[in-house]
Amino acid sequence: MTNTPRRPQWRQALTLPSHARLGPADVARVGAAGLRARPLRVFLSAVGIAIGIAAMLAVVGISASSRADLDRALDRLGTNLLTVSPGNTMYGTDAQLPKTSVLMLDRIAPVRSVSEVGRIDAHAYRNDHVPSGQTGSIEVLATRSDLLRTLGGKVTTGSWLNGATARYPAVVLGAKAARRLDVRTPGVRIWLGDTWFGVAGILDPVPLAKELDTAALVGWPAAQRYLGFDGHPTFVYVRSAEPDVEAVRSVLAATTNPEAPNEVRVSRPSDALAAQRATDRTLGALLLGLGAVALLVGGIGVANTMVISVLERRPEIGLRRSLGASRGQIRLQFLTESLLLSTLGGLGGLLLGIGVTAGYAAAQSWPTMVPAWAMAGGLGATLLIGAVAGLYPAVQASRLSPTEALTVP
């Protein structure tokens, strides 16, 4: 039987205990303790991140709310509305649509309804004492009684022109035109051309025919009788069957003016909306860039806070190292502090961004839309900022030896 050699006692005395492991709860508690010790600095750093996240989220949320409102309007009004207007002649002058445009277009089988308005060389004033130059940019348009049915428009107050009132000096004002003339209720008179016209009604805004919002609308027969209207339409609105919109659009120019189809311009509301959304995307990209700058400033603030924290807490780091904390545990502590600080800022930014979006959408009577991907992306951005901003200070703290950290400079 052989005896196993025993290790000398002096070798057993030199054996160092292993580092205690920190659980997730321990790491979070240690990191939170560092933040609680400096509340004002933590608050200011978190505000910097919150502003950046709120800016990004508000840009996305307001844009999404605006698009939701447009989609709701399109669902209500439909995308099957086409607009015909005069283009230019081969000599570069303004063309005219034929007086028979509506009759010609109404013969197209898939067309469900068609109406027209014509620009009149006259201006509308609140009374006959207003100087002629103060027109308020209000157009006077001759119109047909079936216009609202074709456009899906509504009257806010009063009534629309009918077969009787369209023959007499009666006028319906667009939403903006009524505000500019300071007309709130029907029954009053305005000076239009050289004749007093009675206000029969005021329209709601018409999303797909913005030109009506700033116009004074009179009946087609009354325009010819009292205002010298020549009978040529300026805009012809065509509502067609949904499946045949493109087919109808392809024949509108030739049907409206067979002799000169190149002098006819055909547009579709979705084209204008696409251009508007492209503008919204450009503006959104600009504002997102500003939000990214705010995030960068917030990240610099977090990094500055953590670097100063490392410098101020050298004795604490030295004491923890002397008591057995490993470099990895010190590194994890300061990285956790940075992540907690960024998370606080991110949560505050999410609440602020949602609040701004909801407030603006309510003021515009829009549905409030804050995409889930935007909220998740904003919170993910804060965590990335916290990790990047806290990495260098955490590494620097872990490199301090106990004697170096405990030495007071």
Side-chain angles (χ1 to χ4, degrees), residues 69-95:
D69 183 68
L70 285 174
D71 291 339
R72 184 173 62 179
L74 284 175
D75 290 340
R76 184 175 64 252
L77 299 176
T79 57
N80 60 340
L81 181 67
L82 303 166
T83 305
V84 179
S85 59
N88 297 321
T89 66
M90 61 183 299
Y91 304 104
T93 59
D94 294 336

Side-chain angles (χ1 to χ4, degrees), residues 125-193:
Y125 304 94
R126 186 63 181 84
N127 54 59
D128 56 348
H129 299 295
V130 179
S132 59
Q134 298 180 9
T135 63
S137 300
I138 298 174
E139 284 190 325
V140 181
L141 299 177
T143 183
R144 300 291 186 180
S145 57
D146 57 358
L147 178 67
L148 290 191
R149 180 171 60 87
T150 301
L151 292 177
K154 294 181 180 179
V155 177
T156 300
T157 180
S159 61
W160 177 243
L161 300 171
N162 53 41
T165 56
R167 299 179 178 275
Y168 297 98
V171 60
V172 174
L173 299 176
K176 292 182 180 179
R179 288 197 296 269
R180 293 174 184 176
L181 292 172
D182 194 26
V183 175
R184 296 180 175 84
T185 58
V188 301
R189 296 193 305 168
I190 63 173
W191 185 249
L192 202 156

Side-chain angles (χ1 to χ4, degrees), residues 68-407:
D69 183 68
L70 285 174
D71 291 339
R72 184 173 62 179
L74 284 175
D75 290 340
R76 184 175 64 252
L77 299 176
T79 57
N80 60 340
L81 181 67
L82 303 166
T83 305
V84 179
S85 59
N88 297 321
T89 66
M90 61 183 299
Y91 304 104
T93 59
D94 294 336
Q96 281 187 326
L97 295 180
K99 296 180 181 181
T100 58
S101 297
V102 169
L103 295 177
M104 297 291 288
L105 295 177
D106 197 36
R107 298 175 181 177
I108 302 175
V111 170
R112 296 292 177 260
S113 62
V114 57
S115 190
E116 59 187 343
V117 297
R119 187 174 288 119
I120 303 171
D121 186 15
H123 298 289
Y125 304 94
R126 186 63 181 84
N127 54 59
D128 56 348
H129 299 295
V130 179
S132 59
Q134 298 180 9
T135 63
S137 300
I138 298 174
E139 284 190 325
V140 181
L141 299 177
T143 183
R144 300 291 186 180
S145 57
D146 57 358
L147 178 67
L148 290 191
R149 180 171 60 87
T150 301
L151 292 177
K154 294 181 180 179
V155 177
T156 300
T157 180
S159 61
W160 177 243
L161 300 171
N162 53 41
T165 56
R167 299 179 178 275
Y168 297 98
V171 60
V172 174
L173 299 176
K176 292 182 180 179
R179 288 197 296 269
R180 293 174 184 176
L181 292 172
D182 194 26
V183 175
R184 296 180 175 84
T185 58
V188 301
R189 296 193 305 168
I190 63 173
W191 185 249
L192 202 156
D194 293 325
T195 307
W196 287 104
F197 275 68
V199 177
I202 300 174
L203 293 179
D204 271 343
V206 184
L208 300 183
K210 293 292 186 182
E211 60 273 6
L212 301 186
D213 294 342
T214 56
L217 306 170
V218 300
W220 204 272
Q224 293 176 321
R225 179 178 179 182
Y226 297 101
L227 302 175
F229 176 51
D230 61 6
H232 289 278
T234 305
F235 296 101
V236 179
Y237 305 100
V238 181
R239 182 81 70 171
S240 68
E242 287 280 357
D244 303 308
V245 171
E246 294 302 330
V248 171
R249 187 185 185 192
S250 64
V251 300
L252 282 183
T255 306
T256 303
N257 191 352
E259 296 180 356
N262 58 307
E263 297 179 1
V264 178
R265 182 183 297 114
V266 179
S267 62
R268 184 178 176 181
S270 56
D271 298 336
L273 292 174
Q276 182 179 4
R277 291 182 177 183
T279 303
D280 291 341
R281 285 193 295 270
T282 302
L283 181 60
L286 174 62
L287 295 178
L288 283 174
L290 296 177
V293 171
L295 281 176
L296 178 61
V297 173
I300 293 175
V302 172
N304 180 61
T305 299
M306 298 310 300
V307 169
I308 294 176
S309 179
V310 169
L311 296 177
E312 290 180 345
R313 297 162 65 186
R314 289 166 61 97
E316 175 192 337
I317 296 171
L319 181 60
R320 291 201 62 207
R321 293 280 286 125
S322 300
L323 293 176
S326 66
R327 293 179 182 271
Q329 290 172 347
I330 298 295
R331 192 162 48 242
L332 186 59
Q333 172 189 346
F334 282 89
L335 189 59
T336 301
E337 287 187 24
S338 179
L339 290 173
L340 289 175
L341 176 58
S342 298
T343 302
L344 289 175
L347 293 176
L350 289 182
L351 295 176
L352 181 60
I354 293 173
V356 170
T357 301
Y360 190 85
Q364 299 294 327
S365 299
W366 294 346
T368 302
M369 296 289 294
V370 182
W373 64 263
M375 293 187 287
L379 194 57
T382 60
L383 295 177
L384 180 61
I385 288 173
V388 173
L391 185 60
Y392 175 75
V395 172
Q396 290 298 106
S398 67
R399 289 179 177 176
L400 292 174
S401 64
T403 54
E404 180 184 3
L406 291 172
T407 300

